[in-house]
Amino acid sequence: MNFNYNNETENILNRIYEKKIYNIVDKQDFKPLNSKEVIESYIEILKNTPVYLGSDLDDFIENLIENNENGYFLRVEIAKKKNYSFPKLYDYLGNPIKNTSYSKFAMELWEGNMNRFIIEDLQSRFSQNGFIEFIDNNFINMVDDLNKYIDSKNKKSIITIPFKEKDELLPTLKSMILKNEVDKSFIYLLVDIDALRDEMAKFSATFHVYNEFDKLEDDLEYCLDNFSRYDSSQLFDILVNDHGFKYIENIGLVKS
């Protein structure tokens, strides 16, 4: 069976360069690429941003190495390059061998070692010049997908707390917290940690064993119901005045 190691690893390397572009888009907070001038300016930013391939992308790379026939042959090729033995799971025509003597543990160990060699090989081939070349050859074709990504990211960054009457704000936010529709910072905004700790102290809580943050994790709804710092009116003022929310009639509070 013909298998081109260089082509396969080049494809993985291109996916890494693509990932780096998305990382820079996130970090630089790119706006939609909606004109030639904007696209050209972003290309310059990308080309002038130093890029490195560190261990932070090991998991990403391993996920790109397939756990199927292609992944097997990719690992076989790196094994040959490193003069390592490899399990024979396919015959010379590429047909699976029905009975093999390799245990699951041995296979996982071999795959892990070969993945490490592939990552090392990719690290040696990754370069700033390679990244720039990838941009020159591929960035224009990525514009539509990047715009979709930026649009999706912007929508996710918009926080809406919907209500019609102001007195609905507190129960609405509590519900959103319990459904994980807002991040955990709202828990600490809403819950009076000192009051919670005082109650626990009354029941002789041993704080080095079980503290107020453990209680929050175990019984969040109880904490929200019984230790809220604010009523709906106070919460409205806090969110608008101190946390960047705006009131939009018939929608509620919105932060973008």
Side-chain angles (χ1 to χ4, degrees), residues 98-155:
K98 292 183 179 180
N99 297 313
T100 64
S101 59
Y102 299 98
S103 69
K104 182 179 179 181
F105 174 76
M107 278 297 301
E108 289 177 350
L109 185 62
W110 177 76
E111 287 177 352
N113 285 332
M114 296 310 106
N115 288 352
R116 179 168 54 83
F117 288 143
I118 293 168
I119 289 171
E120 289 174 356
D121 188 29
L122 291 165
Q123 287 172 337
S124 70
R125 295 164 61 182
F126 181 96
S127 69
Q128 187 76 36
N129 287 337
F131 180 62
I132 291 171
E133 183 179 352
F134 178 83
I135 293 169
D136 287 336
N137 294 335
N138 298 279
F139 187 77
I140 296 301
N141 295 327
M142 294 175 61
V143 166
D144 286 345
D145 286 337
L146 283 168
N147 276 332
K148 290 176 184 177
Y149 175 76
I150 292 168
D151 182 58
S152 174
K153 186 166 72 79
N154 289 340
K155 286 178 179 177

Side-chain angles (χ1 to χ4, degrees), residues 37 101 185 213 217 246:
E37 291 74 17
S101 59
S185 64
F213 300 104
E217 186 172 340
K246 293 182 179 179

Side-chain angles (χ1 to χ4, degrees), residues 173-227:
L173 183 55
K174 285 180 181 179
S175 175
M176 292 176 71
I177 290 171
L178 292 170
K179 293 176 182 177
N180 293 318
E181 293 175 351
V182 291
D183 66 52
K184 289 185 177 181
S185 64
F186 285 92
I187 297 174
Y188 303 110
L189 170 68
L190 205 56
V191 174
D192 188 334
I193 298 295
D194 291 335
L196 172 59
R197 186 178 177 87
D198 287 345
E199 182 188 81
M200 293 177 68
K202 291 177 183 177
F203 292 95
S204 302
T206 308
F207 286 103
H208 71 279
V209 176
Y210 188 84
N211 62 31
E212 61 271 34
F213 300 104
D214 296 317
K215 180 68 174 178
L216 275 174
E217 186 172 340
D218 290 344
D219 202 351
L220 178 57
E221 186 171 5
Y222 172 82
C223 296
L224 290 169
D225 287 341
N226 291 278
F227 299 99

Side-chain angles (χ1 to χ4, degrees), residues 2-16:
N2 293 324
F3 186 86
N4 192 311
Y5 174 84
N6 287 331
N7 284 350
E8 292 298 321
T9 49
E10 188 68 25
N11 289 336
I12 294 175
L13 194 58
N14 285 339
R15 293 286 300 278
I16 296 169

